[in-house]
C-alpha cells in the first residue's frame, strides 16, 4: 500500500473515534483504535522500519523508560489529586477544570523523558549504521 492509503486510513480511524465519542461517549474500543491510527501513521512515514533495527539493549532501555514515565505520571496525578481534594478542598466545576489541567501538566514530564530516550536510541542506531 502506498503512503496516501496509510495516511487516509490513520485519519479515517481518528475521525471515527471523534464521531463515535461525540455520538456515543467514551468506549474502551478507543484504547485499540488510537494505537492502530498511530501505527498506520508510523507505517506511512517509514518509522516502523526503524524499530526492527533496534538492539535488545535498546528495547530494554525503552521498556524501562516507559515504566519510569508511567510511574512519574501516576505519581504526579496522585499528588495533584491529594492537593486538589485534601489540601484545597475544591468542589464543583472548578475542581473538574483543575483536575483536567493537572492531568495534562502531569503528562508533559513523562513525554519529555520518554521522547529523549527514544531519540537517543534511534540516534545510536544511526551512528552504528554509518
Amino acid at each position: 500500500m502506498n503512503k496516501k492509503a496509510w495516511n487516509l486510513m490513520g485519519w479515517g480511524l481518528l475521525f471515527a473515534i471523534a464521531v463515535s465519542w461525540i455520538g456515543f461517549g467514551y468506549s474502551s474500543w478507543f484504547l485499540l483504535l488510537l494505537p492502530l491510527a498511530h501505527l498506520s501513521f508510523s507505517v506511512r512515514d517509514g518509522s516502523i522500519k526503524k524499530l526492527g533495527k533496534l538492539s535488545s539493549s535498546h528495547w530494554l532501555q525503552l521498556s524501562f523508560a516507559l515504566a519510569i514515565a508511567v510511574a512519574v505520571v501516576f505519581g504526579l496525578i496522585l499528588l495533584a489529586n491529594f492537593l486538589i481534594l485534601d489540601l484545597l478542598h475544591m468542589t464543583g466545576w472548578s475542581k473538574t477544570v483543575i483536575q483536567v489541567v493537572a492531568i495534562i501538566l502531569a503528562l508533559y514530564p513523562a513525554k519529555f523523558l520518554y521522547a529523549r530516550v527514544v531519540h537517543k536510541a534511534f540516534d545510536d542506531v544511526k551512528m552504528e549504521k554509518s
Side-chain angles (χ1 to χ4, degrees):
M1 293 176 70
N2 61 12
K3 291 182 179 184
K4 287 184 180 181
W6 285 107
N7 192 30
L8 186 64
M9 191 180 339
W11 282 110
L13 284 170
L14 289 178
F15 181 73
I17 290 170
V19 168
S20 63
W21 194 333
I22 291 169
F24 306 110
Y26 177 77
S27 172
S28 59
W29 280 98
F30 298 156
L31 297 175
L32 177 63
L33 293 178
L34 194 59
L36 285 176
H38 187 270
L39 183 66
S40 68
F41 288 129
S42 297
V43 169
R44 176 192 55 100
D45 69 2
S47 62
I48 200 80
K49 291 179 184 177
K50 295 177 189 176
L51 292 176
K53 298 176 184 174
L54 293 175
S55 67
S56 59
S57 66
H58 286 128
W59 280 106
L60 183 64
Q61 196 176 32
L62 290 173
S63 300
F64 184 70
L66 180 64
I68 295 296
V70 169
V72 166
V73 168
F74 188 70
L76 288 174
I77 289 174
L78 285 177
L79 175 66
N81 194 33
F82 170 74
L83 291 173
I84 292 167
L85 296 177
D86 295 336
L87 221 56
L88 300 174
H89 302 291
M90 297 182 91
T91 59
W93 65 269
S94 62
K95 178 187 91 168
T96 304
V97 169
I98 296 297
Q99 283 178 332
V100 169
V101 169
I103 289 170
I104 291 170
L105 290 177
L107 289 172
Y108 276 101
K111 175 186 178 278
F112 292 132
L113 169 76
Y114 191 67
R116 184 173 180 160
V117 173
V118 169
H119 287 298
K120 185 183 178 315
F122 283 126
D123 286 344
D124 288 349
V125 169
K126 285 181 188 176
M127 293 290 198
E128 291 172 2
K129 188 177 177 183
S130 55

